[in-house]
Amino acid sequence: MNQSVLATVTAALLVWEALLLIPMVPGKLIDTRDFAPLPRWQYNAFNVFLTSLGLASLVTAGFAVAETRWVLPVAVVLGVLFVLVFIADLMVVFPVVPDPMPVQLLVLEAIALASAGVLVVIAIQAARQ
């Protein structure tokens, strides 16, 4: 694939990851676990991180569509952060709460983890060209 196609796919995957992240906001529609046992600062910092990750992905996607060269390494970093977030939650590393993970969240996170892996591979390939 040529660089513009890879950049467009990278942008689409960044938007896809941000859109997948929206319904997974802790304590809301899909993620119904009780986060009360977590210290409030930890819960708030985690939400700020997730929000920042989603917003950065959308901004980066815009630059990727514009085929800005510096954006591809940023897309790789964002993809790796998505992978780490989903692995940490699926492997019960963080956040650790007494409630079990809802099945819908488990499925959505598995899909998001797989597509984040694809994002990393495509962004690396695009950066190499």
Side-chain angles (χ1 to χ4, degrees), residues 13-39:
L13 287 168
L14 284 165
V15 170
W16 170 253
E17 287 297 323
L19 291 176
L20 282 175
L21 195 60
I22 290 169
M24 291 191 268
V25 172
K28 300 297 181 208
L29 293 174
I30 291 179
D31 192 351
T32 56
R33 298 175 288 181
D34 180 17
F35 292 90
L38 289 178

Side-chain angles (χ1 to χ4, degrees), residues 32-98:
T32 56
R33 298 175 288 181
D34 180 17
F35 292 90
L38 289 178
R40 185 57 43 199
W41 70 268
Q42 211 173 49
Y43 176 78
N44 289 338
F46 186 55
N47 278 331
V48 166
F49 172 74
L50 293 177
T51 302
S52 300
L53 183 59
L55 291 174
S57 296
L58 295 174
V59 170
T60 304
F63 283 106
V65 168
E67 296 187 40
T68 308
R69 194 83 178 133
W70 59 264
V71 83
L72 296 170
V74 173
V76 172
V77 170
L78 291 172
V80 168
L81 289 173
F82 276 114
V83 167
L84 293 175
V85 164
F86 297 127
I87 285 176
D89 198 15
L90 290 169
M91 302 301 287
V92 194
V93 174
F94 184 85
V96 177
V97 294

Side-chain angles (χ1 to χ4, degrees), residues 103-119:
V103 174
Q104 301 92 325
L105 180 62
L106 177 68
V107 170
L108 199 57
E109 283 194 8
I111 292 167
L113 176 59
S115 60
V118 172
L119 167 62

